[in-house]
Amino acid sequence: MPLETVTKIAELRERLRPVRQAGQSIGLVPTMGYLHRGHAALVDRARAENDVVVVSVFVNPLQFGPKEDFASYPRDLDADRKLLAEHGADIVFAPSVEEMYPRPITTHIEVEELSVRLEGERRPGHFRGVATVVGKLFNIALPDRAYFGEKDYQQLQVIRRMVADLSFPLEIVGVPTVRDVDGVALSSRNVYLSPVERAAAPVLSRSLAAAADAIGGGTVDPQDIEAVVRGVLADEPLAAPDLVAVAAADTLEPIDPKAPPPSIALMLAVRIGRTRLLDQRVVAVP
Ligand code: PAF
């Protein structure tokens, strides 16, 4: 079946109504486009688990701060369509900002606590913008399952919590981070990196690997784990850490070394030049 492009909310609902009525399942992959192999892994998983796969491509202004890169965020719908066709998606939903927000939005989804900690503290309003658009996409597509990358680990936890709190009738599927051969997590923002900066980027995954080794060796004090990560990052002069977070993997609560959680989430935001890169790793406590 060739890939269909839909730009209107009403049209997508019309297209999906008979799918649901026929008892077929719908998988939704929400994206901001400029798709790479990380997104392809989400689409492949959705393809394997659903009858119809919808991929949304929408750079959501609500989740960008005033000084962030909304205007310059990379966009290439033709290339996205090519990748989606190759991976067997059925429908790309690519609405305009006017279609999604015909007037200023006054209703938001705020996942309290989880949204304002860690990355949320550094990007005020970001997770509110994410939760609001994702809730809206769920109401538009009414999917059975929705797919998100683990790379944006806090985002995934925010969405899981929103779905649980508001009883959205769908399953959230987290998909492991896809990496280049040198360990760099794939991200649409990697295009901003100069060759020299790109060569520095593996330091993120290296620092996470060192912390995973330390946890494997019995280190559970979050300060000690953070020191291991910062020690590796300090070896790379181009890397400026913005967030080094060590938290309980399922709740993102701080860790009490006397009662460590079953697994620990390590989350990083590191500036390399003007680009802010994210990475994460979840490590089981032995
Ligand atoms: O992860 C992203 O690309 C975005 O935050 C999402 C989930 C598509 C919401 O705009």
Side-chain angles (χ1 to χ4, degrees), residues 109-116 131 157-159 161-162 165:
I109 301 181
E110 181 92 51
V111 180
E112 290 171 5
E113 294 174 25
L114 205 46
S115 277
V116 293
Q157 302 311 315
V158 166
I159 291 165
R161 186 63 195 257
M162 169 185 94
D165 284 353

Side-chain angles (χ1 to χ4, degrees), residues 176-231:
T177 302
V178 178
R179 298 176 181 282
D180 265 329
V181 281
D182 60 0
V184 173
L186 297 191
S187 163
S188 306
R189 289 190 169 102
N190 290 354
V191 294
Y192 297 148
L193 299 170
S194 71
V196 173
E197 291 167 351
R198 177 62 187 73
V203 75
L204 277 78
S205 60
R206 265 205 319 276
S207 72
L208 295 175
D213 285 349
I215 296 169
T219 304
V220 288
D221 188 314
Q223 286 181 348
D224 296 343
I225 298 168
E226 184 178 331
V228 171
V229 174
R230 287 191 185 275

Side-chain angles (χ1 to χ4, degrees), residues 29-33 39 56 58-60 63 73 126 129-131 133-134 137 147-149 152 155 159:
V29 183
T31 82
M32 298 206 300
H39 297 107
S56 61
F58 179 62
V59 185
N60 171 38
Q63 70 190 73
Y73 194 85
H126 171 67
V130 169
V133 80
V134 169
L137 290 167
Y147 297 79
F148 296 89
D152 300 304
Q155 165 173 288
I159 291 165

Side-chain angles (χ1 to χ4, degrees), residues 151-170:
K151 180 175 76 68
D152 300 304
Y153 190 78
Q154 189 171 359
Q155 165 173 288
L156 177 61
Q157 302 311 315
V158 166
I159 291 165
R160 285 193 192 285
R161 186 63 195 257
M162 169 185 94
V163 163
D165 284 353
L166 298 181
S167 304
F168 276 96
L170 80 162

Side-chain angles (χ1 to χ4, degrees), residues 56-70:
S56 61
V57 170
F58 179 62
V59 185
N60 171 38
L62 288 190
Q63 70 190 73
F64 288 79
K67 295 199 184 115
E68 292 181 3
D69 55 346
F70 172 70

